Amino acid sequence: MSEVKIKSALISVYYKDNLEPIVKLLAKNNVQIYSTGGTQKFIEDLGVAVTPVEEMTTYPSIFGGRVKTLHPAIFGGILHRRELEEDVKTAEQYNIPSIDLVIVDLYPFEETVASGASEADIIEKIDIGGISLIRAAAKNFKDVLIVSSREQYKDVEQLLSEKNGATDLADRRNFAAKAFDISSNYDTAIFNYFNQTENITSFKQSVRQGNTLRYGENPHQQGTFYGNLSEMLEQLNGKEMSYNNLVDIDAAVLIIEEFEETVFAILKHTNACGVATGATVKEAYQKAFAADNVSAFGGVLITNKKVDLAAAEEMHSLFFEVLIAPDFDQDALELLKGKKNRILLKQNHKLTSTKMFKNLLNGVIEQDRDLKTDSLEDLKPVTKRQPTDSEKRALVFASKIAKHTKSNTIVLAKEGQLLSSGVGQTSRVDALKQAIHKAKAFGFDLKGAVMASDAFFPFPDCVEIACEEGIEAVVQPGGSIKDQDSVDFCDKNNMAMVFTGVRHFKH
């Protein structure tokens, strides 16, 4: 029979929030309650009868609370199969009572790690008894209901109320699945904590929060975002974010982290079509918009400073999908909210992850995030002409953008302003030609501009073309066996070139 009337329950939880209604409901249904330590006291304080597990095990809580429930009397009560005569006789022989409901809330391991606690404190928050109870009860879901987290308290209260203290097989199987979700996530967190130092080559990730998106990259593809997005970004206005919105937002957040000064970036399909610094957000936006006022339509906008009314008024007439900022003046926010579908995001935190991964072939590929930001100190002159101070600043600016642009890429810039870029080309020469064509299309004079490349020049052709356009300084990582050919050309044509020694491919 799939329906089971709950006659006995074991409750052992860390957090007691919202537990009271369940305890009182169980008492109302004359359920025998067993409990441990602090949970036992909590139940007694509610005026509800409870039996200490010590009466079942004949052992007290020992080893500083490390061992309380690890006993055949407890696990036999959970695991014995009610439909097997042999199991029932064994339970009777050893005086093991049946346990129909197990409620467990694990020690807060992840929260303790996040708090910066000592390793000794962290180790003590590795739950042993609780995780064992969860697995045992979930395994025997044919007979036992497992409640494995405080986030399920409301659901189980509703379930028991509606069914007068009984559950059916579908209920128990559903809660068992949730229990293994909890236990696998818990073990993954523990492994990843230890693997920070042990570097075992095993890939384990667990994200329990998932939001179904309208669709994936295209309407015929299903999409889901796994993660706590609201922890990082607070949505202040607009429609539900799509898969493509999230991909572009990720690219925008990454590029903006390269800058300390006031900066504004406009992205389309993860590539920046406009980036500029300015004395104000308004000025930075105007300069970024000027780089490509066509691609900006429907783009993702981001700044690293508070958006004031002057900036909001400047960009309000543009149709864009998303605007991200650390904050908004209230009058600016009200103006921008005038377009109901416009997504406005307040960024509360920077990215903290140091790893990145994606599925590839029949597995997963993982790597360190590219956390290297090129600076003035990284520029190593290799030509007779040294870049001027203004050129150096422009070269660093351009290099930061090239790092976040699809390879092969060439970025053309002047100090504090992206002029154009050639993105995702199979040939670096094609990338440069694309960038030159685009810069001219938007009215930029390239004389005195700088050029950044995400990887080395295998031939001097790019610097030859750049020279013809009046570009006077170049930054690249270096590393080609023919580096000297490009350097020699620069020397003959009074161009400055610097190496960084760091390649920034983005595939």
Side-chain angles (χ1 to χ4, degrees):
M1 181 178 178
S2 69
E3 186 170 277
V4 172
K5 183 77 173 179
I6 294 174
K7 298 178 181 177
S8 61
L10 171 63
I11 308 177
S12 181
V13 301
Y14 189 87
Y15 291 109
K16 282 75 176 177
D17 315 56
N18 301 316
L19 182 62
E20 179 179 346
I22 298 175
V23 172
K24 290 185 174 179
L25 185 60
L26 294 174
K28 180 182 176 182
N29 284 279
N30 299 312
V31 173
Q32 169 70 59
I33 300 176
Y34 303 97
S35 192
T36 61
T39 309
Q40 176 190 329
K41 184 178 184 307
F42 173 82
I43 296 171
E44 289 171 341
D45 290 345
L46 294 176
V48 173
V50 57
T51 301
V53 293
E54 288 87 344
E55 291 188 17
M56 299 174 67
T57 65
T58 71
Y59 279 90
S61 174
I62 56 178
F63 306 122
R66 284 187 166 198
V67 179
K68 296 189 287 285
T69 57
L70 295 168
H71 193 279
I74 302 293
F75 284 86
I78 295 169
L79 282 165
H80 80 271
R81 293 155 290 189
R82 277 62 160 177
E83 78 278 12
L84 290 186
E85 183 179 350
E86 183 180 352
D87 280 15
V88 173
K89 285 182 177 179
T90 301
E92 291 173 352
Q93 178 183 353
Y94 292 103
N95 197 30
I96 296 174
S98 294
I99 297 174
D100 307 315
L101 168 65
V102 175
I103 303 177
V104 176
D105 185 48
L106 298 170
Y107 293 162
F109 178 83
E110 290 177 274
E111 294 94 323
T112 304
V113 172
S115 73
S118 68
E119 178 156 286
D121 289 338
I122 290 170
I123 297 304
E124 288 308 310
K125 289 299 184 290
I126 298 177
D127 206 315
I128 302 300
I131 203 78
S132 301
L133 290 169
I134 287 174
R135 291 176 60 82
K139 176 176 181 174
N140 202 23
F141 68 89
K142 285 187 176 181
D143 300 310
V144 181
L145 176 68
I146 173 62
V147 180
S148 52
S149 169
R150 57 177 169 162
E151 65 193 38
Q152 300 166 14
Y153 291 173
K154 288 290 185 183
D155 291 338
V156 79
E157 179 191 352
Q158 181 178 348
L159 174 66
L160 297 180
S161 296
E162 291 175 352
K163 297 190 175 181
N164 297 313
T167 63
D168 61 34
L169 185 59
D171 299 325
R172 298 191 296 277
R173 186 182 182 89
N174 176 259
F175 275 84
K178 292 176 180 176
F180 286 118
D181 176 29
I182 293 287
S183 65
S184 61
N185 179 78
Y186 198 74
D187 284 340
T188 297
I190 295 170
F191 169 76
N192 285 333
Y193 169 75
F194 279 96
N195 210 35
Q196 292 177 106
T197 55
E198 303 311 309
N199 296 316
I200 298 168
T201 54
S202 178
F203 180 81
K204 287 182 172 62
Q205 293 292 326
S206 177
V207 182
R208 296 192 56 250
Q209 290 178 293
N211 295 314
T212 301
L213 304 173
R214 294 197 302 274
Y215 50 80
E217 205 161 8
N218 298 290
H220 63 277
Q221 296 169 266
Q222 184 178 339
T224 306
F225 175 78
Y226 292 98
N228 186 4
L229 191 63
S230 61
E231 189 175 72
M232 181 177 176
L233 297 166
E234 178 184 353
Q235 186 163 353
L236 305 177
N237 188 69
K239 61 186 178 181
E240 179 186 350
M241 285 180 279
S242 70
Y243 178 100
N244 291 331
N245 287 155
L246 291 172
V247 172
D248 285 331
I249 289 166
D250 175 70
V253 166
L254 286 170
I255 195 170
I256 211 73
E257 287 189 355
E258 301 287 346
F259 300 91
E260 295 296 331
E261 65 272 41
T262 300
V263 67
F264 203 102
I266 304 171
L267 288 89
K268 202 72 173 288
H269 304 302
T270 74
N271 289 306
C273 56
V275 183
T277 60
T280 64
V281 173
K282 176 182 176 180
E283 181 189 345
Y285 166 75
Q286 290 172 322
K287 290 166 64 180
F289 182 69
D292 187 343
N293 56 32
V294 175
S295 297
F297 183 86
V300 170
L301 283 55
I302 188 168
T303 182
N304 59 352
K305 304 297 180 185
K306 180 189 283 190
V307 173
D308 57 17
L309 183 60
E313 288 174 335
E314 189 68 23
M315 67 183 80
H316 183 55
S317 60
L318 174 68
F319 168 72
F320 57 85
E321 289 277 346
V322 183
L323 171 61
I324 311 161
D327 207 354
F328 297 81
D329 281 340
Q330 190 59 39
D331 50 2
L333 185 60
E334 291 307 314
L335 175 64
L336 293 167
K337 280 183 173 180
K339 304 288 178 67
K340 67 177 183 178
N341 286 331
R342 177 182 282 164
I343 298 169
L344 303 176
L345 300 174
K346 179 181 177 182
Q347 185 176 347
N348 296 318
H349 302 289
K350 290 187 174 184
L351 288 171
T352 56
S353 61
T354 59
K355 297 284 187 180
M356 57 189 297
F357 55 88
K358 63 180 178 180
N359 66 301
L360 201 73
L361 299 174
N362 62 341
V364 174
I365 190 167
E366 180 186 55
Q367 67 171 349
D368 297 332
R369 269 181 59 200
D370 185 354
L371 298 175
K372 172 62 180 172
T373 298
D374 294 334
S375 65
L376 291 172
E377 291 71 28
D378 296 313
L379 305 183
K380 302 296 187 288
V382 292
T383 51
K384 295 174 183 177
R385 183 170 92 72
Q386 304 283 298
T388 66
D389 289 344
S390 176
E391 285 174 336
K392 287 179 182 177
R393 291 189 292 268
L395 290 167
V396 169
F397 176 83
S399 184
K400 289 177 179 179
I401 298 170
K403 171 184 170 182
H404 294 276
T405 307
K406 206 76 168 174
S407 301
N408 286 320
T409 185
I410 291 289
V411 169
L412 305 180
K414 290 188 176 179
E415 185 177 352
Q417 185 177 27
L418 170 66
L419 303 183
S420 66
S421 58
V423 303
Q425 299 301 305
T426 53
S427 159
R428 200 161 298 277
V429 170
D430 286 345
L432 175 55
K433 289 179 178 179
Q434 181 190 61
I436 291 169
H437 173 78
K438 187 174 180 182
K440 289 180 176 180
F442 288 99
F444 289 110
D445 181 1
L446 292 176
K447 184 171 176 56
V450 304
M451 175 173 71
S453 174
D454 62 330
F456 62 64
F457 297 121
F459 305 102
D461 44 12
C462 279
V463 287
E464 292 170 2
I465 296 168
C467 180
E468 291 174 6
E469 299 297 333
I471 293 167
E472 297 181 353
V474 181
V475 58
Q476 59 139 318
S480 169
I481 58 173
K482 294 187 176 181
D483 276 342
Q484 196 59 44
D485 292 350
S486 295
V487 173
D488 290 344
F489 180 88
C490 289
D491 282 340
K492 290 176 184 177
N493 292 274
N494 198 34
M495 294 175 68
M497 179 180 283
V498 297
F499 288 176
T500 63
V502 178
R503 188 183 73 184
H504 292 294
F505 266 163
K506 185 184 178 189
H507 285 164

